[in-house]
Every structure is written in C-alpha cells, then in structure tokens.
Amino acid sequence: MMDIPATAANPTPIRELQKRYTLALIIIAALIFISQVVVQRTVLATMDDSHIVNIAGRQSMLSQRIAKEVLILDTLPADQQRASLEALTSTLDLWEDSNYALQFGNAQMGLPGGNSALVNQLYLEAGSYLNSILSSGRCLVAHYRGTAAGDCAALTPDELRTTILTNEGPFLSWMDEIVFQYEAETTTAVKVIRLASAVLMFVTMISLLLEGRFIFRPIARRLQSTLDALHTTQRDLMDANTYLEQRVRERTQLLQQANAELQTANEEIRDYMSFVTHDLRSPIASVRGFLHELTLDLTDLRKTINGAYPSATALLEDSIPEAVTAIEVSNNQLDRLTHQLLDISRQGRRELDSMPVDLNTVLKQILQVYAPQIAESGAEVVIPAPLPAVESDPVLMEQVFTNVISNAIKYLDPTRRGKITLQAKNEKDRVVFSVGDNGRGIAPDDYDKVFKLFRRAGLQNTEGEGIGLYHVRNLLRRLGGTIWFESQVDSGTTFYFSIPNKLARGEA
Amino acid sequence: MNKAVRVLLVEDELVHVKLFERNVKRFGANLIVDVVDNGQHALDYLATYAQKPAAENFAVLLDLNIPVLTGFQVLERMRKNPKMAKLPVIVLSTSDDPEEMARCKALGVEHFLVKPISYELLMRILEAAPV
C-alpha cells in the first residue's frame, strides 16, 4: 500500500539536463561577451567618428581663418603684421598636420585613420586645393618676410592671395562633402550595430526561452513529480500510521475486553467449583456417617447371630465387610478429591503473604506427617545440607513441599530400597530446589500428562487423583516460580522447582 | 447427659437429619431435637423461641450450606437481633475451610464441626455448654 507512484512519463535524465544546462550557460556567456564587444566597439567607433567630424569641421574653420589672415595682412601695422604672420604659419602647419592625420591616422590627435575608399577619394580631391592653399600661404609669408626665393619669388603676393581665396571655396565644399560622408558612414555603422544588438538580444532571449523549455521545464516537472511522489508517500505513511494506531487501539480494546471476560469467567469458575465441591462433600459426609452406622450395626448383628447361621456368618464376616471397605475406600478417595479441589479454589482467592520461611522446620513437620508411609516403604530421605532461608508465602510453600514429597514417596519402586534426596541451590535471584527419587520414573510418552489435572502417569496402582502436581504448578506460578523434571524409567525422577528469593507482597 | 438439652438442627438434607437422629438415639442422649430445613425457618423458629425461652439448655446446630438463607446469613441476622445474639451456635460444615472457620469465629461461633461429625465430641460440647 506504499508504492511510490510512477514518475511523469519519460522523464529526461538528470545527467542530460546537466549537459544541457552547461551548454546553455556557455551559449549565453558567449552571447553576452559578443554583445559587450559589439557595444564597446560601437561606443569607440562613435567616439572616433565624432572626433573625426570635429577635426574635419575644424579644418574648414582653419581654412577660413587662413583666408581671413591673408586678406587682412596688408592692413596691419608692422608689429601686428609680424604676429599675424606667426599665427598664419602655425595655422598652416596645424591645418596640414590635421589633414594628414585625418587621412592616415594619428594616435596623439586620437584619429584612427583607415577611412573608407570613398572618403579617401574625397581627401584626394580636396588634397589639390589644400596643397595650393598651403604652398601659396607659405610663399606669401616668405614674401612678407622677404625670404621668397625660386618659384615663390616669381609670384606676386596678390597672385598668391588670389590663388588662396579661389582654392578656399572648393576646399570647403570638399570638406563639407567629407564630413557629410563621415556622418553617413557613422549612421550606417550605428544602424548595423543596432541591428546586431537587436539580433544578439533576440538570440539571447531565444536561448533563454530554449533554456526554459529544455532545462527548467523538465527540471520543474521532475521536481514536481518528485514532490508529488514524496507527498503521496508521506500521505500513505500517515494513513498507514493512522490505520496501525487504529488497529492497535482496537486490538487493545479487544484484549482488555477478553481479559475482563476471562477474569469474570475465572471468578465464576472458582465460585462454581467451591459451590460444587461443597455440595459434593455433603453426600460424601453422609455416606461416611452411614458407613460408620453400618459397621456398628454389623457388629451388633454379628453378636446377635453369634455363629448360629453359618451362611449368614460368612456374609457378616467376609462379604459385607469387604463391600463396606470398598465403599469406604472409594468414598475416602472422593473425599480427598473434593478436599483438594476446594483447596485449589481457596488458594486462588487468598492474598499472598511474604515473610521469612524456615524451610527446614517446614520439612521436618512434613516428614513427620509422612513418617508412617516412609517407614512402610523402608525408604530414606536425605537432606545433605540445610535449606536456605527464603521470603515467601509459608502456606503455599508448605503445600508445594508436601505435594512434591508425597508424590516422590507414592511413586517409589517397591522392588528396591527407596531413597529421596532433597537439595537447594541459590541462584542469582531465585532458589532452585530439587527432590530426586530412585523410583519407577516417568515414560517419555507421559511427560505431557505430568502437570495436567486428573491425569496420572504410569501404572495406576497407587492412590491419587492426579491433582497434586497440577496444584503444585499453579502454586509455584502464584509464587513467581516454575517447576520441571528430569526422569529415567526404572531409575528415578528428579523434580526441580524454583521460587524467587523474595516474593513481592500481595502478588497474585 | 443429666440435664435435658434442646437443640435446633438446621439441616436441609434428610440423610444428615436421619444420621443425626440415629446417633442421638444410640448415645441415649437426653436431647430434644427440633429440625428446620432452611435458613428462614431457622430464624422464624428462633424468633418464636426468643419470645418464651424453654427451661432446658439450648443450642443451634447450624449447617452452613442451606437454602433460602445460608448459614452465614442466619448467623449475621442472629447477631444483629439482641434477643438471639447470645444464643449458642455450633456450626456443622462439610469442609474445613480456614476461611469459613475464621468467618464463623468472627460471628461468635465457638464450635465448628466438620461432617461427618464426631458425636462423642458433640455430646461433650452440649454437656459442657453452660447454657
């Protein structure tokens, strides 16, 4: 009733789920890494692009400044003109450097170079105007400083000014073109990156969904089924427990009931036994009384006839006394039987005493009572050592010893000299007594009859009703002891019985 | 037995009554025997007797195992009735149960005889009884 329900159909093995989970983690980590790289690249590219656009814008501004300086040079007084020439020279240098850096990259200026083919083409287009402005500007400065030589000396400052101004317009347009192109390219790159980000995010989400579908759902299902199974098991266990408790309660109640019934029955039986034996004893007493009367009458009759009638005399001397004796023997047997039955029912009722019992005195008294029988059979009773002191019920102890000893005497072998040995041995918390005889012994077939009521083992040629040992066993039970025996046919029997060192008072 | 003694034999079994009568006859005892066969009749008899006690000595011979009221019930009621309380009772029982004996003694019974009783003993008791 406690079988664990089968788990959900076809559960994915845990190891497989672990593999999947590891794989999913790797994929998601990779996706996150890639996303980060892409984002970082995007940020960097955007920063470069804005820088490029700034520098490119500055180039337009620088070219305008050059044009302005060139136009105002003549109007300036001599000292200001010198400073202006310095400024013009450095502006030209910066302008040239920046242009180079924009085209080919310069780490100091934070320019990566590496432009697209289209931008490079535009730089080439703008390059000729730039070069014209540069050479004309430098030549013009040389003129003002009076250091013009070679080709430069051949050109007039006005010509140079014109060249600069005519080239400036186209250069600005080309620069605008370049800036525009840069911006266009940046926009495209940002678009691509955005798309990539979106794709990555999508892929990541799909991965998460797949993870959910192929890892977390099976795990959840598995956990659920495990929990269900546990729950069912727990419920079953609780049910089983409740059921068992119920059963135990029921059984206990039944047992108590049965016990109470047994006790009542037992008491009823005892009362009934007592009643019956009392009733039985009345006719027995009456028979005994009338037998006595009959004997007296017979004596009178014998005197009256005084041998006058031989046949009547024969009846009076032999036949009638024999019949009377037979009735007497049977009646005495009945008397003993009912007496012992009464004893049993009486002992069942009596509260036990626990007091020191001097078994040696008890034994002496018993042996005195049985002295005639012992003498008659020529037996000897040997007690090698004094019996130990015990605390028990004196009445029951006496009955136990009386019964066991009379039993030993009764079953002695008439063909040899009887010997009864009485011994005691102290054990941990009990005393074991033994009463051994060299009597006729008990046949193994009769072993189970020994302690039964109204059963007698062996030859039925001795007096007895089969109550003695049954009674002894009951007495010993009440005393908290037990009885057993060892026997060998034709060589004797030893009865052993034990009692506790100290009988608990009031024990029943 | 010089002086006549009256006894009330409370006995329901005819054979025992008969046995008793035969023995009384044999001993030639100067005994007046009244017989009742159950406990209630015994009490009725005693109630009448207590009204006008006879001149003779008197004793109750009580069997314990009798119908209607048991011997013990008769004893208990006798002891509660001031007019009967002092009447001597000799119990006749079929068993020598020490418990029964103790109970009888507690109810003031001095003599407890086990059936079949010894008539010599009974006669001696009746003779000695200072009733």
Side-chain angles (χ1 to χ4, degrees):
Chain A
M1 58 171 304
M2 297 210 330
D3 51 347
I4 293 159
T7 38
N10 234 354
T12 320
I14 291 286
R15 211 177 302 151
E16 172 63 24
L17 287 175
Q18 278 175 338
K19 242 194 272 174
R20 282 188 200 172
Y21 189 61
T22 314
L23 186 67
L25 278 181
I26 291 169
I27 289 171
I28 287 175
L31 283 169
I32 288 170
F33 182 72
I34 292 166
S35 300
Q36 275 302 308
V37 169
V38 168
V39 167
Q40 290 303 319
R41 284 289 300 273
T42 314
V43 169
L44 280 176
T46 316
M47 273 164 62
D48 286 351
D49 283 349
S50 60
H51 202 53
I52 290 164
V53 170
N54 279 343
I55 302 285
R58 198 177 67 179
Q59 289 299 82
S60 303
M61 193 198 76
L62 287 176
S63 73
Q64 281 168 339
R65 187 190 288 175
I66 290 164
K68 195 184 122 199
E69 295 285 344
V70 166
L71 281 175
I72 61 168
L73 265 176
D74 277 346
T75 63
L76 293 173
D79 56 333
Q80 281 184 22
Q81 197 177 54
R82 249 195 322 274
S84 188
L85 282 174
E86 286 296 315
L88 185 57
T89 307
S90 64
T91 304
L92 284 170
D93 286 348
L94 179 62
W95 197 54
E96 189 186 13
D97 288 350
S98 295
N99 197 67
Y100 187 83
L102 279 170
Q103 271 194 74
F104 303 106
N106 181 318
Q108 261 183 337
M109 296 175 84
L111 293 174
N115 297 310
S116 66
L118 196 56
V119 170
N120 278 337
Q121 185 59 43
L122 289 172
Y123 273 117
L124 280 179
E125 300 278 356
S128 59
Y129 302 103
L130 180 113
N131 285 333
S132 298
I133 292 170
L134 273 176
S135 56
S136 303
R138 281 187 181 130
C139 190
L140 189 65
V141 173
H143 273 286
Y144 276 99
R145 283 179 177 158
T147 56
D151 289 347
C152 177
L155 296 166
T156 64
D158 281 340
E159 279 173 341
L160 289 166
R161 237 187 301 271
T162 309
T163 310
I164 290 168
L165 292 177
T166 49
N167 278 300
E168 200 219 339
F171 175 77
L172 283 175
S173 345
W174 284 114
M175 275 318 288
D176 282 346
E177 193 71 20
I178 287 171
V179 168
F180 178 76
Q181 185 56 37
Y182 267 133
E183 280 172 348
E185 281 178 10
T186 305
T187 311
T188 312
V190 166
K191 265 187 197 160
V192 168
I193 283 161
R194 266 192 197 150
L195 187 64
S197 285
V199 167
L200 277 172
M201 191 168 285
F202 182 71
V203 171
T204 308
M205 282 176 67
I206 292 289
S207 303
L208 286 171
L209 282 175
L210 290 175
E211 197 178 11
R213 167 67 185 81
F214 290 104
I215 298 167
F216 292 117
R217 218 164 98 185
I219 285 176
R221 211 182 286 152
R222 218 192 154 82
L223 278 174
Q224 188 60 52
S225 72
T226 311
L227 281 175
D228 283 350
L230 274 175
H231 189 70
T232 312
T233 311
Q234 189 194 20
R235 208 178 42 220
D236 283 353
L237 274 173
M238 275 165 72
D239 284 354
N241 208 19
T242 314
Y243 174 75
L244 275 176
E245 273 173 11
Q246 172 85 19
R247 286 294 293 268
V248 168
R249 258 202 304 278
E250 281 171 13
R251 284 290 157 90
T252 310
Q253 205 179 344
L254 280 177
L255 276 175
Q256 280 169 345
Q257 215 172 316
N259 202 22
E261 278 168 16
L262 272 176
Q263 214 156 351
T264 313
N266 205 17
E267 274 161 24
E268 276 172 6
I269 286 170
R270 268 187 202 152
D271 288 349
Y272 183 69
M273 210 151 111
S274 164
F275 177 75
V276 165
T277 44
H278 266 108
D279 273 8
L280 277 173
R281 289 180 68 75
S282 181
I284 291 167
S286 151
V287 168
R288 190 179 271 180
F290 275 103
L291 275 175
H292 184 62
E293 292 292 305
L294 196 56
T295 317
L296 293 175
D297 287 352
L298 273 174
T299 313
D300 285 352
L301 190 57
R302 228 179 282 139
K303 275 184 198 153
T304 311
I305 291 176
N306 200 15
Y309 304 93
S311 56
T313 305
L315 279 175
L316 286 171
E317 294 295 330
D318 303 318
S319 183
I320 296 175
E322 189 186 64
V324 168
T325 307
I327 294 170
E328 218 163 10
V329 167
S330 297
N331 197 51
N332 286 346
Q333 201 172 326
L334 268 176
D335 185 50
R336 276 197 308 277
L337 185 72
T338 52
H339 197 273
Q340 291 186 55
L341 281 176
L342 209 56
D343 235 23
I344 292 172
S345 70
R346 201 183 291 152
Q347 286 308 334
R349 267 192 285 251
R350 197 170 66 88
E351 189 104 331
L352 293 188
D353 267 338
S354 179
M355 56 173 76
V357 184
D358 180 6
L359 291 173
N360 295 297
T361 311
V362 170
L363 264 180
K364 215 170 171 184
Q365 285 165 355
I366 294 171
L367 292 177
Q368 262 168 12
V369 171
Y370 284 94
Q373 283 97 313
I374 295 168
E376 195 184 324
S377 65
E380 60 167 336
V381 177
V382 185
I383 305 173
L387 300 183
V390 294
E391 262 188 57
S392 195
D393 184 279
V395 178
L396 262 54
M397 282 307 291
E398 192 196 327
Q399 288 192 2
V400 167
F401 274 97
T402 304
N403 275 289
V404 177
I405 290 169
S406 77
N407 197 68
I409 296 168
K410 206 182 287 173
Y411 291 99
L412 284 174
D413 189 338
T415 62
R416 61 171 173 261
R417 189 161 187 257
K419 186 179 173 185
I420 294 166
T421 312
L422 248 145
Q423 280 171 295
K425 199 172 82 185
N426 266 309
E427 287 189 358
K428 197 173 158 243
D429 43 9
R430 62 175 196 170
V431 186
V432 178
F433 298 93
S434 66
V435 177
D437 63 53
N438 60 345
R440 39 184 105 162
I442 303 165
D445 281 352
D446 290 331
Y447 281 179
D448 58 346
K449 288 186 197 160
V450 170
F451 296 113
K452 291 224 169 105
L453 188 59
F454 302 130
R455 292 288 177 80
R456 295 174 61 206
L459 282 170
Q460 308 290 306
N461 62 350
T462 52
E463 274 192 3
E465 297 77 31
I467 295 180
L469 290 174
Y470 165 82
H471 190 34
V472 166
R473 193 172 63 163
N474 284 351
L475 295 177
L476 283 167
R477 272 187 192 153
R478 291 197 70 202
L479 291 172
T482 176
I483 182 165
W484 67 100
F485 65 89
E486 285 166 5
S487 186
Q488 185 90 43
V489 173
D490 291 333
S491 65
T493 307
T494 301
F495 276 94
Y496 297 90
F497 54 96
S498 70
I499 57 159
N501 282 337
K502 198 174 163 165
L503 175 67
R505 203 173 280 271
E507 198 172 305
Chain B
M1 203 176 284
N2 303 321
K3 204 177 168 192
V5 178
R6 181 182 287 273
V7 295
L8 172 66
L9 176 63
V10 189
E11 173 63 81
D12 62 315
E13 284 178 71
L14 211 58
V15 281
H16 285 289
V17 177
K18 206 141 245 169
L19 193 60
F20 187 85
E21 282 169 347
R22 282 176 76 127
N23 277 283
V24 168
K25 207 168 125 200
R26 163 146 5 88
F27 279 87
N30 194 0
L31 215 58
I32 307 153
V33 182
D34 292 328
V35 183
V36 290
D37 62 355
N38 72 43
Q40 187 54 53
H41 290 162
L43 284 177
D44 293 346
Y45 175 100
L46 289 174
T48 316
Y49 178 83
Q51 297 287 321
K52 196 182 127 211
E56 315 89 32
N57 284 350
F58 180 75
V60 181
L61 300 180
L62 182 64
D63 181 19
L64 288 178
N65 196 19
I66 47 173
V68 188
L69 293 173
T70 67
F72 282 114
Q73 286 170 324
V74 171
L75 269 174
E76 277 156 12
R77 288 174 199 207
M78 279 177 72
R79 294 319 178 205
K80 275 182 202 149
N81 186 327
K83 284 178 181 168
M84 303 179 193
K86 292 274 163 61
L87 293 174
V89 177
I90 297 165
V91 162
L92 314 175
S93 171
T94 53
S95 86
D96 58 351
D97 187 338
E99 216 174 280
E100 277 185 1
M101 290 188 189
R103 258 178 97 186
C104 288
K105 198 160 190 185
L107 286 164
V109 174
E110 263 185 59
H111 301 287
F112 188 103
L113 303 180
V114 180
K115 290 182 186 179
I117 60 172
S118 154
Y119 287 90
E120 286 94 339
L121 183 59
L122 177 66
M123 296 309 157
R124 246 183 289 144
I125 291 167
L126 289 175
E127 211 163 333
V131 194

